[in-house]
């Protein structure tokens, strides 16, 4: 179907539904893609896209950033991280500032590069900041397996990996979040498979469509969600069939299960969600930076900045409803992580928001 | 501990870089500097001179399509050309690190020579400093300066764009930036992608001597096409509307940007020009560009409009619209 036909179809279905429909893009990449491609400007007003908690940087707590900076200050360490993490403010500044002050913090493009850094610097400890959902976790697990089999003594991961399903479930359980359907994350689903969303459909009657990242993918997925809403159904459909299967990538799942085990995790704005995080199994404990540097303990610092990233992440408010948005909080001076990450909702609203707003 | 310090974001050419420029202007501001063009325009009696300087700290020193020597000539020559002037003379300052191999130095100087010949400029003065090992990253930094004579009656300031004018880009965008990232970070993107680094002064010469309707020229280097267009829209207090499906992006560049979470509009170019011209001269501009080796893939990408002044808007392939913002800080790869 052409873009114009899809837009027309969505518009007709929205008229048939006759009320505002809230669809959540769980994944930050969908949020950015929807803004970049101008999809939002083509949707009828009654179809609202809400951004969810699927930006890994945004849901990472201040405490984790503080911990990473403390490790960077430790003698003889090299911190390796994806670029998104660099500018996220913790309670005592960001990794970017620590780097500018001379700490050895390196932006890498794949976890494999962290292993290479460890091999090239045998006298120093290379710590990778393990942040991200099911998409990145298998690769990080692979680095740990690899370091283990090569008996590398100087590599470890500061682990804050999370899994998306418990967060989606927490959103469904929340009284102040109203979502009529989920655009489920494509990259995550390549690994997990489609089956994992079934409980959401069954228990919460939440329509789910796993969407690809091309603009047409997103439009078609929205159309598919509206079909489900009109028919009163709630099932898991795969729009992103070119990459996602029902069972997912078994090899990657096995690798993750071998290295990590579920644990409770703290999500920015959502608090502690049981079994939503991953920690390094004891069989690989020498690669867990938290255990390797037991003296580095960071206490939780409560910052009262007025930042409402937590409410944005739960789609309780849109960024423009936060009192700091475009005033104190801008991409040049981000107060919260949603303004920092390239996939953050606030950054997307700031950069690409509707020109008629 | 909490004193504000320079971070890598200040080198990105976007809004953070402006913080540095603001300090310079506060202490050194004068009518010439305050024009903030690619070059300073100086009136020396009856001759109008364009004068510019730039430093090159690129890593890696040698990359597909060029090296630090070629870029040091082309970047500076292009800054002169974009101000509507013909580059004539250059300086070359070398900051060398202990341990640099002579073979590499010679290769870079040969490249300077070749690029200067191509651009028809003479290197007439220079300087050499050697610093301790570890103080010059990859072993070699270069500073160049150049002067050029302005074409008579030409004014290519970024503040000249007016509603009704058209916007041309002289080819594909993002080639240089993605080539460098691929090399520096060893991303192993399988491609034949090369930097587009090139001297644009012969193209500008043909344009300015043949077409009267050239309004503004800008080379979209750091900050990419987005920064160049935002500069033009801001300085001209006009809106600019561009069409996504007209902008040429190589398949490899798009794939790398998708992978890393970058917008091709924000990626650096070193051999492209943004040309704003009157509507009736656009055809001639495109003809001249497509006959020049550095403008063969030139394309009309949009127009200057009276709506949304000082804002660049992209009409997307989907028929939607979005703002093209001034890039902020450096491009950082995303997590997933």
């Amino acid at each position: 179907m052409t873009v114009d036909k899809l837009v027309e179809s969505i518009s007709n279905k929205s008229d048939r539904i006759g009320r505002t429909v809230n669809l959540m893009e769980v994944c930050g990449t969908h949020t950015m893609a929807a803004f970049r491609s101008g999809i939002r400007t083509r949707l009828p007003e009654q179809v609202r896209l809400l951004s969810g908690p699927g930006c890994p940087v945004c849901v990472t707590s201040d405490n984790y950033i503080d911990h990473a900076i403390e490790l960077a200050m430790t003698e003889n360490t090299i911190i390796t991280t994806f670029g998104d993490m660099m500018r996220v403010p913790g309670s005592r500044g960001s990794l970017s500032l620590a780097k500018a002050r001379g700490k050895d913090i390196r932006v890498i493009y794949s976890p494999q590069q962290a292993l290479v850094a460890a091999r090239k610097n045998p006298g120093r400890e290379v710590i990778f900041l393990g942040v991200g959902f099911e998409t990145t976790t298998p690769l990080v697990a692979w680095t740990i397996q690899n370091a283990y089999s090569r008996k590398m003594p100087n590599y470890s991961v500061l682990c804050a990996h999370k899994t998306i399903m418990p967060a989606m479930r927490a959103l469904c359980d929340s009284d102040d979040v109203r979502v009529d359907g989920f655009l489920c994350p494509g990259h995550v689903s390549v690994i997990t498979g489609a089956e994992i969303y079934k409980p959401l459909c069954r228990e919460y009657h939440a329509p789910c469509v796993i969407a690809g990242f091309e603009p047409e993918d997103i439009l078609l997925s929205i159309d598919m969600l509206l079909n489900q809403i009109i028919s009163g159904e709630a099932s898991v459909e795969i729009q992103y069939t070119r990459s996602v299967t029902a069972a997912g990538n078994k090899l990657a799942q096995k690798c993750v299960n071998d290295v990590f085990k579920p644990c409770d995790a703290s999500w920015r704005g959502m608090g502690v969600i049981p079994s939503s995080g991953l920690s390094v199994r004891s069989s690989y404990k020498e690669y867990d930076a938290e255990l390797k540097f037991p003296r580095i303990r960071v206490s939780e610092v409560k910052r009262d900045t007025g930042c409402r990233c937590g409410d944005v992440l739960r789609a309780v408010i849109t960024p423009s409803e936060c009192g700091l948005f475009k005033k104190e909080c801008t991409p040049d001076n981000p107060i919260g992580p949603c303004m920092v990450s390239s996939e953050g909702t606030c950054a997307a609203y700031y950069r690409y928001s509707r020109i008629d707003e | 501990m909490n004193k504000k310090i320079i971070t890598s974001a200040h080198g990105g050419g976007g809004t953070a870089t402006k913080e540095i420029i603001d300090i310079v202007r506060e202490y050194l501001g004068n009518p010439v500097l305050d024009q903030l063009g690619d070059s300073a325009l100086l009136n020396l009696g009856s001759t109008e001179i364009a004068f510019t300087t730039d430093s090159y700290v690129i890593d890696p020193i040698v990359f597909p399509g060029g090296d630090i020597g070629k870029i040091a000539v082309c970047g500076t020559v292009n800054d002169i050309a974009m101000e509507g002037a013909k580059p004539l003379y250059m300086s070359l300052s070398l900051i060398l690190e202990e341990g640099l191999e002579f073979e590499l130095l010679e290769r870079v100087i040969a490249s300077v020579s070749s690029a200067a010949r191509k651009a028809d400029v003479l290197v007439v003065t220079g300087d050499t400093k050697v610093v301790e090992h570890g103080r010059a990253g990859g072993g070699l930094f270069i500073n160049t300066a150049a002067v050029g004579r302005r074409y008579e009656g030409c004014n290519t300031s970024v503040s000249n764009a007016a509603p009704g004018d058209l916007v041309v880009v002289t080819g594909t965008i993002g080639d240089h930036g993605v080539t460098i990232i691929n090399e520096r970070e060893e991303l192993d993107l399988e491609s034949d992608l090369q930097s587009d680094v090139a001297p644009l002064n012969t193209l500008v010469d043909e344009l300015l001597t043949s077409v009267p309707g050239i309004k503004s020229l800008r080379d979209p280097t750091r900050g990419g096409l987005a920064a160049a267009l935002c500069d033009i829209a801001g300085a001209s207090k006009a809106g600019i509307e561009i069409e996504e499906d007209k902008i040429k992006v190589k398949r490899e560049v798009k794939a790398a940007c998708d992978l890393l979470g970058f917008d091709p509009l924000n990626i650096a170019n070193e051999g492209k020009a943004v040309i704003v011209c009157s509507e009736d001269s656009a055809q001639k501009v495109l003809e001249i560009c497509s006959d020049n080796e550095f403008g063969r893939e030139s394309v009309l990408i949009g127009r200057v409009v009276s709506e949304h002044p000082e804002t660049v808007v992209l009409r997307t392939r989907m028929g939607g619209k979005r703002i093209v913002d001034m890039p902020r800080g450096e491009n950082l790869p995303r997590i997933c």
Side-chain angles (χ1 to χ4, degrees):
Chain A
M1 223 186 314
T2 65
V3 167
D4 287 341
K5 289 266 185 233
L6 274 171
V7 168
E8 193 187 328
S9 168
I10 288 170
S11 188
N12 290 340
K13 283 169 190 167
S14 161
D15 286 345
R16 279 178 65 189
I17 294 168
R19 64 173 173 84
T20 298
V21 172
N22 294 316
L23 306 178
M24 177 174 277
E25 321 127 2
V26 177
C27 167
T29 314
H30 277 145
T31 300
M32 234 353 147
F35 270 107
R36 265 193 192 167
S37 59
I39 280 179
R40 285 168 181 260
T41 62
R42 297 215 63 189
L43 292 178
E45 247 174 55
Q46 287 196 314
V47 176
R48 294 178 69 208
L49 289 182
L50 305 174
S51 303
C55 161
V57 171
C58 302
V59 295
T60 301
S61 64
D62 278 6
N63 196 250
Y64 180 83
I65 302 289
D66 292 347
H67 199 153
I69 290 171
E70 282 298 321
L71 286 171
M73 313 256 258
T74 306
E75 208 178 323
N76 233 5
T77 56
I78 298 171
I79 301 292
T80 51
T81 176
F82 289 118
D84 306 44
M85 295 293 291
M86 290 298 286
R87 294 179 59 232
V88 182
S91 67
R92 283 163 288 178
S94 64
L95 288 160
S96 181
L97 274 175
K99 178 172 182 281
R101 291 194 173 106
K103 301 304 159 201
D104 197 343
I105 300 170
R106 303 179 188 180
V107 171
I108 57 170
Y109 291 72
S110 91
Q112 194 182 352
Q113 289 176 309
L115 271 191
V116 173
R119 212 168 47 240
K120 285 183 178 170
N121 296 274
R124 301 175 68 190
E125 175 74 14
V126 173
I127 301 165
F128 179 68
L129 303 186
V131 172
F133 295 107
E134 286 89 338
T135 325
T136 48
T137 315
L139 273 176
V140 179
W142 174 85
T143 64
I144 290 178
Q145 285 179 331
N146 208 285
Y148 179 84
S149 62
R150 290 169 183 228
K151 298 189 170 47
M152 287 171 73
N154 66 326
Y155 177 70
S156 55
V157 173
L158 184 66
C159 189
H161 285 290
K162 292 181 171 63
T163 49
I164 200 71
M165 263 310 291
M168 290 173 75
R169 188 180 276 274
L171 281 171
C172 290
D173 282 333
S174 171
D175 291 335
D176 51 359
V177 181
R178 185 166 155 55
V179 178
D180 295 295
F182 288 105
L183 282 164
C184 298
H187 293 148
V188 163
S189 308
V190 171
I191 306 295
T192 62
E195 296 286 320
I196 63 154
Y197 305 105
K198 279 201 167 160
L200 281 188
C201 304
R202 207 170 41 238
E203 295 168 34
Y204 301 95
H205 198 72
C208 291
V209 173
I210 299 165
F213 297 93
E214 293 299 325
E216 289 87 348
D217 292 330
I218 298 174
L219 276 180
L220 184 55
S221 302
I222 291 170
D223 194 59
M224 290 162 77
L225 279 175
L226 296 186
N227 282 339
Q228 288 198 39
I229 292 166
I230 286 172
S231 65
E233 285 175 13
S235 61
V236 184
E237 290 183 275
I238 307 173
Q239 180 279 325
Y240 195 29
T241 47
R242 56 190 187 272
S243 301
V244 176
T245 60
N249 184 332
K250 292 280 186 195
L251 197 65
Q253 292 167 16
K254 187 165 174 281
C255 178
V256 169
N257 289 334
D258 175 47
V259 175
F260 296 117
K261 63 176 188 217
C263 65
D264 296 348
S266 175
W267 294 58
R268 195 184 289 260
M270 299 175 81
V272 173
I273 303 178
S275 296
S276 65
L278 294 172
S279 62
V280 180
R281 286 188 190 275
S282 56
S283 45
Y284 292 101
K285 63 176 185 292
E286 61 267 48
Y287 300 99
D288 184 340
E290 227 176 314
L291 298 178
K292 208 165 185 177
F293 294 88
R295 284 193 193 155
I296 301 210
R297 285 272 164 258
V298 183
S299 52
E300 189 92 43
V301 179
K302 287 257 183 284
R303 289 193 301 154
D304 189 15
T305 58
C307 168
R308 295 188 67 188
C309 277
D311 290 332
V312 170
L313 289 166
R314 295 189 307 129
V316 173
I317 63 166
T318 59
S320 37
E321 291 172 79
C322 171
L324 305 179
F325 183 69
K326 282 192 175 177
K327 297 182 188 99
E328 290 90 339
C329 187
T330 65
D332 293 325
N333 181 38
I335 309 291
C338 295
M339 188 58 96
V340 177
S341 168
S342 62
E343 296 181 3
T345 311
C346 297
Y349 268 73
Y350 190 98
R351 296 186 64 183
Y352 301 130
S353 59
R354 298 172 85 118
I355 50 177
D356 53 354
E357 255 180 16
Chain B
M1 187 67 180
N2 289 324
K3 279 186 180 168
K4 190 165 183 183
I5 57 176
I6 297 287
T7 67
S8 51
H10 291 100
T15 49
T17 306
K18 188 172 170 294
E19 289 181 54
I20 299 172
I21 295 171
D22 287 345
I23 295 177
V24 173
R25 286 184 68 184
E26 185 183 338
Y27 288 92
L28 303 174
N30 60 61
V32 180
L33 181 71
D34 290 345
Q35 289 170 7
L36 296 180
D38 281 344
S39 302
L41 296 171
L42 311 170
N43 266 311
L44 303 179
S46 58
T47 312
E48 200 174 11
I49 294 288
F51 173 44
T52 192
T53 183
D54 213 335
S55 297
Y56 299 86
V57 295
I58 194 161
D59 171 27
I61 288 174
V62 179
F63 48 84
D67 56 50
I68 193 170
K70 184 176 182 184
I71 208 170
V73 173
C74 296
T76 298
V77 159
N78 291 347
D79 280 350
I80 294 282
M82 293 304 130
E83 287 300 331
K86 184 180 175 60
L88 298 170
Y89 302 110
M90 283 185 66
S91 71
L92 179 77
S93 276
L94 302 169
I95 297 171
L96 313 172
E97 193 181 46
E98 282 180 314
L100 181 75
E101 289 177 5
F102 259 87
E103 194 182 333
L104 180 57
L105 176 66
E106 190 169 344
R107 175 178 176 165
V108 168
I109 302 297
S111 184
V112 166
S113 165
S114 159
R117 243 180 295 119
K118 187 113 190 157
D120 195 22
V121 292
L122 287 178
V123 176
V124 292
T125 185
D127 181 44
T128 305
K129 295 281 187 294
V130 176
V131 296
E132 287 166 38
H133 186 83
R135 287 184 66 196
L140 172 57
F141 294 158
I142 296 181
N143 172 273
T144 49
V147 290
R149 189 183 294 114
R150 204 149 191 231
Y151 291 91
E152 211 165 306
C154 280
N155 179 345
T156 57
S157 163
V158 285
S159 61
N160 292 340
D165 291 342
L166 300 181
V167 182
V168 170
V169 173
T170 60
T172 55
I173 60 163
D175 300 7
H176 175 76
V178 168
T179 302
I180 295 299
I181 292 168
N182 188 26
E183 283 296 299
R184 187 176 58 214
E185 309 299 342
E186 298 170 12
L187 297 186
D188 295 331
L189 300 174
E190 282 184 24
S191 80
D192 298 326
L193 196 63
Q194 292 203 334
S195 166
D196 60 349
V197 56
L200 297 173
N201 54 319
T202 54
L203 174 60
V204 170
D205 182 86
E206 287 176 56
L207 285 170
L208 292 180
T209 51
S210 315
V211 192
I214 307 287
K215 301 286 198 71
S216 304
L217 291 175
R218 191 77 163 184
D219 54 342
T221 52
R222 270 187 316 177
L225 183 60
L229 292 173
C230 287
D231 272 346
I232 295 169
S236 301
K237 302 202 183 315
I240 293 180
E241 207 159 289
I242 54 173
E243 309 275 336
E244 185 176 35
D245 57 7
K246 298 278 170 53
I247 300 168
K248 290 183 180 174
V249 183
K250 284 191 176 133
R251 190 181 47 81
E252 304 96 304
V253 171
K254 185 177 182 309
C257 286
D258 284 349
L259 187 71
L260 301 170
F262 298 162
D263 185 345
L265 297 179
N266 294 347
I267 306 289
N269 312 275
E270 288 294 341
K272 298 290 161 22
V274 177
I275 304 163
V276 179
C277 60
S278 62
E279 192 168 1
D280 54 10
S281 62
Q283 196 50 43
K284 183 78 179 155
V285 166
L286 286 171
E287 279 168 25
I288 289 173
C289 287
S290 50
D291 282 344
N292 185 290
E293 66 174 307
F294 301 126
R296 283 204 184 107
E297 292 197 75
S298 291
V299 63
L300 194 64
I301 62 159
R303 59 176 58 240
V304 183
V305 296
S306 50
E307 297 87 37
H308 49 78
E310 300 186 43
T311 305
V312 181
V313 169
L314 178 80
R315 195 174 281 277
T316 68
R317 196 166 54 78
M318 308 283 293
K321 285 181 172 184
R322 71 150 161 103
I323 287 173
V324 177
D325 198 20
M326 181 63 101
R328 292 157 200 284
E330 61 183 331
N331 283 317
L332 291 169
R334 67 170 179 216
I335 282 181
C336 66

